[in-house]
Amino acid sequence: MASRSTQILEAAARVIARRGVRGLRVEELAEEAGVSTGLIYYHFKDRTGILRHTLEFINDRAERYTTVETADGEPLDAREELDQVLLLELQDVPEVRENSIAWGELRASAVFDPVLREDLARATLVWVQEVAALLGQVHPMAPAARLASAAERLTALLEGLSMRMLSGGLTLDHARTLLREAVEVELTGLRQR
């Protein structure tokens, strides 16, 4: 059984995905989580605390579902791991959809909330650094600045493709094809310079 704080964070991700950050009401969150509002305030102090911890929660959950494991236990090569980590962000399963929608809602709200903006910037930087490290495993001689730039482009594209897919502007297959093509373009660029 999940801890009470995890139960609340799972409910917060659902509510944010369904109603947006502006639509997050502590009373509704308490009902969704099956707890009292007092317990929510006990664990998270205030609405900002809820949002900050929910951002951490969805990042941790994304880390879990993008961790690559092969069926036979054999490790993937660097290129396969890069492809899989990025493509696993584009899945049509409830957990990934919910995470992607909540992430998009938190990003949109960060425009108006400096505290959330800082947290989101840090989380985005970590994600970019992880993708840059994977790119560096594929092309170990590429300069760090070029790896970081390529990772910025890929993660920004991935967010955009995810939002378009979730809103019906792209099919899942087409979004994944576009992402694969972008990875190839970035890797080619890293090879050529």
Side-chain angles (χ1 to χ4, degrees):
M1 177 181 232
S3 72
R4 289 287 191 193
S5 59
T6 301
Q7 186 178 340
I8 294 166
L9 293 171
E10 288 170 345
R14 282 193 305 275
V15 172
I16 291 170
R18 195 170 52 238
R19 299 207 183 279
V21 171
R22 290 185 178 191
L24 178 68
R25 304 286 177 260
V26 176
E27 297 77 19
E28 182 182 356
L29 174 57
E31 185 178 322
E32 182 81 21
V35 300
S36 69
T37 57
L39 188 61
I40 291 173
Y41 286 118
Y42 171 79
H43 283 290
F44 304 106
K45 294 192 174 63
D46 56 20
R47 191 170 188 278
T48 299
I50 295 166
L51 294 176
R52 293 177 100 174
H53 283 89
T54 303
L55 177 61
E56 289 174 26
F57 172 79
I58 64 174
N59 281 329
D60 291 345
R61 189 161 66 174
E63 178 84 20
R64 284 191 305 277
Y65 66 68
T66 59
T67 299
V68 180
E69 294 180 16
T70 59
D72 60 5
E74 290 295 314
L76 298 174
D77 69 28
R79 172 59 194 271
E80 292 169 329
E81 184 177 356
L82 172 67
D83 287 344
Q84 285 302 303
V85 164
L86 293 172
L87 290 170
L88 288 172
E89 286 284 354
L90 294 173
Q91 299 181 66
D92 192 14
V93 297
E95 182 179 56
V96 176
R97 290 178 68 82
E98 183 179 281
N99 244 39
S100 296
I101 294 167
W103 175 268
E105 290 293 333
L106 288 162
R107 178 160 311 282
S109 291
V111 171
F112 306 103
D113 184 338
V115 173
L116 191 54
R117 188 177 316 139
E118 290 172 16
D119 290 343
L120 197 64
R122 274 191 296 278
T124 301
L125 179 60
V126 168
W127 187 28
V128 168
Q129 290 171 339
E130 289 170 356
V131 173
L134 290 169
L135 289 164
Q137 289 175 19
V138 178
H139 288 297
M141 300 307 291
R146 289 196 22 245
L147 293 169
S149 293
E152 281 280 1
R153 287 187 293 272
L154 288 172
T155 56
L157 175 66
L158 180 52
E159 282 187 45
L161 290 172
S162 177
M163 288 300 109
R164 285 189 183 186
M165 182 199 73
L166 291 166
S167 64
L170 290 174
T171 65
L172 173 61
D173 288 340
H174 189 57
R176 292 178 126 226
T177 297
L178 291 172
L179 184 59
R180 281 188 194 97
E181 290 171 352
V183 170
E184 188 57 41
V185 166
E186 293 296 344
L187 291 174
T188 299
L190 289 170
R191 251 190 320 267
Q192 292 176 348
R193 294 182 190 166

